[in-house]
Amino acid sequence: MQAQSTAGPSDLPRWFRWFGIYTRTIEGVAGVSMAVILVIMIVQVAARYLFSGSIIWAEEACRYLLLWQTFLLLGVAYQRGEFVMLDLLPYMLSSRARLVLKSATAIPVLIFLAVIVVEGFDYASRFERQKIPALDFIWSSLTGANAGVSVKWVYICVPIGAALLALHVIADLVVSTIRHRRGIDDPPPAVDMGEQL
């Protein structure tokens, strides 16, 4: 099995350069959220083992940040070719047949992602009235008022991540089509000799 080979932002035409900015922004947000998770967990461990206390909202906040981070980075992982796939058949085909196969396999993926987007927003909206308990507790302790942040904002990361992944799949098809028209063939992915053993 091999990582999927997809085109990067540098292969995109000029009118599509915003895609590279979007990708770097998502990577930056992911880096910041990972740093926040790390700091919260270090403080939580220190509070628990050094001061025999606990930050009640720490685990919940880290869980929600990790969920958002995961779904935001799905598309970036696809773009970098970090999804696992079997790529024996595509590289036995001609460039044109490979493009047709990629297009044919992208259609059910995009339909599936569209269903996730539509149903995900519907599912998240069902939790509009349910509040995040730890956030409400800490906010009411500090200010005396309820924060009122809905659990919907946790569940909505799934359809947003699916929509971003669909954007990456479409961008990959656009890049592959442009490369095919320019006569640039996708090179086969490098074989990792460690996987051969």
Side-chain angles (χ1 to χ4, degrees), residues 6-174:
T6 59
S10 61
D11 294 329
L12 297 171
R14 265 185 215 178
W15 55 268
F16 217 49
R17 293 287 185 207
W18 62 268
F19 198 76
I21 296 168
Y22 147 77
T23 301
R24 286 189 297 278
T25 302
I26 292 293
E27 290 170 347
V29 168
V32 169
S33 69
M34 185 53 78
V36 169
I37 290 171
L38 183 65
V39 168
I40 291 172
M41 283 289 93
I42 288 172
V43 171
Q44 170 73 336
V45 168
R48 184 167 290 168
Y49 292 104
L50 298 178
F51 305 108
S52 299
S54 181
I55 304 171
I56 62 164
W57 51 267
E59 292 171 26
E60 192 172 357
C62 289
R63 185 181 328 124
Y64 296 155
L65 282 171
L66 195 58
L67 278 169
W68 268 98
Q69 184 183 58
T70 300
F71 283 98
L72 285 179
L73 286 174
L74 281 176
V76 175
Y78 176 86
Q79 177 185 332
R80 288 183 174 180
E82 295 173 352
F83 282 5
V84 175
M85 65 174 276
L86 294 172
D87 56 6
L88 178 64
L89 177 62
Y91 288 98
M92 293 173 64
L93 301 173
S94 67
S95 175
R96 181 178 178 82
R98 194 163 44 245
L99 180 61
V100 170
L101 179 65
K102 182 181 271 192
S103 302
T105 56
I107 291 169
V109 169
L110 289 171
I111 291 170
F112 176 71
L113 291 173
V115 169
I116 289 178
V117 170
V118 171
E119 295 299 322
F121 277 112
D122 180 50
Y123 183 79
S125 68
R126 296 178 192 175
F127 295 91
E128 182 77 44
R129 294 183 181 174
Q130 185 178 344
K131 306 304 177 201
I132 298 174
L135 187 59
D136 263 353
F137 177 80
I138 195 69
W139 189 256
S140 64
S141 298
L142 294 173
T143 65
N146 288 334
V149 178
S150 173
V151 175
K152 166 188 170 182
W153 295 107
V154 175
Y155 293 127
I156 211 161
C157 69
V158 176
I160 289 174
L164 294 175
L165 179 56
L167 180 67
H168 282 271
V169 171
I170 292 167
D172 185 42
L173 282 175
V174 168

